[in-house]
Amino acid sequence: MPFLGKDWRSPGWSWTKTDHGWKRIVFFGHELENNKEIDLEELCSDNNENLFVGEVCELANTKRKKDLYNNNTKSQFVFRDKWIYVQKGSTKERHGYCTLGEALNRLDFSSAIQDLRRFNYVAKLFQLIARSQLTSLSGAAQKNYFNILEKIVRKVLEDHYNPRLVKELLQDLSSTLHSLTIHVGRCVLVGNVNIWLCRLETIVKWQQELNNMQIPKQMYTGLSFNDLPLYMQNKILCKLSDACDIINLGQATPTLHVLSENKMLWKKLCQFHFSDKPFCRNLGLTRADNVDWKLMYFTLQKHYPMKEQYGDTLHFCKHCSILFWKDFGHPCTANDPDSCLMPISPQHFIDLFKF
């Protein structure tokens, strides 16, 4: 399989055609001034070290920009492509395999948390990593993980969006780090144990900030939720898939409390989460009026996992074996790309990189 790059002769170099064939361009002196791809003032600044000419100059300049971006900013690593080829073994065309840490660096989670459709997905994925996969990350991936986690916490503090989910994430991460640093030992962690102790202190500080967060009262004189008809309020409650959200909303007003205790509401919630389970397939056919569906929901919750629902997820192309965000797309060669796509849940994402 040929290597597809900027230039098949040597990717990244500049070439010119002469009478004797193709010749690689090497920049010297005044030629640097006429080349628009290289910033001469930046190369000559006092803060930059001496660089070589030609391809070494371009490589060193690119590496410096990447290191500066990764180290001095709380951001994700710079990659042009927003997709990754998931490979579990070596082939003639590709050597090695893809790891969870590499996928964490490549899939642009920094931008994903700014999208409300993807925020819950990323937070749930980070929670699963905190529970079981933290020690499998490389040093660079661990640094990237905590940088993105800090962005998640800052977004919640600024927008007050879904603090309960982030609190659960930090609680699981704190428990895992406490177990690894205190009980298990430092041999399973990548890096100095003092760095992990500092990270543990940072997590405690984030938890205190979230616990002390005060949601300001909305000063809005227009139509409010309480002004809607009761049947519309009930329809909105039926759209919620999280029992905690229903209970919290029911504590707002006496009217909402009555609506949140409706048996039909909890029956639909049970059918949504557990109707596909072997023991619960007859839930939809049950017509008994004496069933406490709210109690039934929390009883089933102890034995079965709840159905996950996200506004947007990562997708996996079965034809290309590529993992990507659907909005960004990927270079698919299938005749019908949409038929090859498969949405990936956070747990499935973890399972893709278990070897």
Side-chain angles (χ1 to χ4, degrees):
M1 178 180 292
F3 179 84
L4 301 180
K6 297 179 181 179
D7 194 309
W8 64 269
R9 286 169 294 276
S10 186
W13 289 346
S14 299
W15 294 76
T16 182
K17 189 174 183 180
T18 64
D19 297 337
H20 302 287
W22 288 91
K23 180 181 178 182
R24 180 162 57 89
I25 300 176
V26 181
F27 298 103
F28 293 99
H30 64 279
E31 295 180 351
L32 286 173
E33 299 177 359
N34 299 328
N35 186 268
K36 297 180 181 180
E37 296 180 356
I38 299 180
D39 190 354
L40 185 59
E41 295 181 358
E42 183 178 356
L43 296 179
C44 299
S45 98
D46 296 335
N47 297 328
N48 294 330
E49 62 188 25
N50 295 328
L51 301 176
F52 297 101
V53 296
E55 70 279 3
V56 181
C57 172
E58 184 179 357
L59 178 62
N61 189 31
T62 303
K63 185 176 184 304
R64 178 184 289 104
K65 289 181 180 180
K66 182 176 179 181
D67 292 341
L68 181 65
Y69 188 83
N70 293 336
N71 296 329
N72 295 347
T73 62
K74 298 290 185 178
S75 182
Q76 196 175 7
F77 292 83
V78 182
F79 289 98
R80 180 183 305 173
D81 299 322
K82 304 303 180 182
W83 50 267
I84 186 170
Y85 180 84
V86 180
Q87 182 181 357
K88 294 189 176 182
S90 298
T91 62
K92 294 181 179 179
E93 295 80 11
R94 295 176 179 267
H95 295 281
Y97 56 90
C98 180
T99 63
L100 176 63
E102 185 180 357
L104 192 65
N105 292 338
R106 293 280 298 275
L107 288 175
D108 195 26
F109 288 106
S110 294
S111 301
I113 61 176
Q114 304 301 327
D115 191 338
L116 292 181
R117 301 174 303 162
R118 302 172 181 171
F119 181 87
N120 291 353
Y121 181 89
V122 177
K124 182 63 177 180
L125 175 61
F126 273 47
Q127 185 178 18
L128 294 178
I129 294 177
R131 289 176 179 175
S132 59
Q133 302 297 320
L134 196 61
T135 55
S136 65
L137 300 180
S138 63
Q142 290 172 358
K143 179 182 177 181
N144 192 26
Y145 177 90
F146 282 94
N147 286 344
I148 300 175
L149 181 60
E150 181 177 2
K151 287 188 175 184
I152 293 176
V153 175
R154 296 306 168 197
K155 180 175 178 57
V156 174
L157 293 175
E158 293 174 2
D159 302 341
H160 310 104
Y161 177 74
N162 208 345
R164 179 170 55 86
L165 178 60
V166 180
K167 287 180 181 179
E168 294 176 358
L169 163 61
L170 294 179
Q171 181 60 39
D172 291 341
L173 182 59
S174 177
S175 301
T176 301
L177 287 183
H178 187 270
S179 176
L180 293 176
T181 55
I182 304 300
H183 301 291
V184 178
R186 64 188 66 181
C187 60
V188 297
L189 295 173
V190 177
N192 195 310
V193 68
N194 294 326
I195 297 178
W196 288 100
L197 293 176
C198 292
R199 289 172 175 170
L200 187 58
E201 294 177 358
T202 303
I203 294 172
V204 174
K205 184 184 70 173
W206 289 341
Q207 290 177 317
Q208 294 175 352
E209 292 179 358
L210 291 175
N211 292 331
N212 298 330
M213 182 180 63
Q214 298 292 333
I215 300 178
K217 185 177 181 180
Q218 296 291 335
M219 302 301 296
Y220 182 66
T221 58
L223 186 66
S224 64
F225 186 82
N226 294 328
D227 297 328
L228 297 175
L230 291 180
Y231 77 93
M232 293 186 65
Q233 296 184 23
N234 188 54
K235 282 186 174 296
I236 293 175
L237 282 172
C238 291
K239 296 297 183 180
L240 299 178
S241 60
D242 194 325
C244 293
D245 292 337
I246 296 176
I247 294 175
N248 293 334
L249 186 58
Q251 296 174 354
T253 62
T255 303
L256 288 175
H257 176 72
V258 175
L259 294 177
S260 65
E261 296 294 329
N262 188 1
K263 290 185 177 180
M264 292 304 299
L265 173 64
W266 289 98
K267 181 178 180 180
K268 292 180 180 179
L269 198 63
C270 290
Q271 293 174 355
F272 175 77
H273 285 288
F274 310 113
S275 60
D276 57 339
K277 304 300 185 294
F279 176 74
C280 312
R281 289 175 180 173
N282 296 327
L283 284 176
L285 303 177
T286 303
R287 297 183 179 180
D289 296 332
N290 57 349
V291 177
D292 188 346
W293 289 104
K294 185 176 181 180
L295 179 61
M296 175 71 74
Y297 173 85
F298 288 104
T299 302
L300 294 173
Q301 187 184 21
K302 298 178 182 179
H303 302 280
Y304 300 102
M306 294 186 299
K307 183 183 296 185
E308 298 180 0
Q309 191 176 32
Y310 303 100
D312 191 14
T313 64
L314 286 168
H315 284 70
F316 181 76
C317 180
K318 294 180 287 186
H319 178 78
C320 306
S321 298
I322 287 179
L323 191 64
F324 65 101
W325 292 106
K326 192 173 182 180
D327 290 348
F328 294 140
H330 74 290
C332 186
T333 58
N335 295 329
D336 187 8
D338 294 336
S339 63
C340 305
L341 300 185
M342 179 177 60
I344 300 296
S345 66
Q347 184 59 54
H348 193 185
F349 180 92
I350 300 294
D351 295 338
L352 282 176
F353 302 97
K354 288 183 178 180
F355 304 110

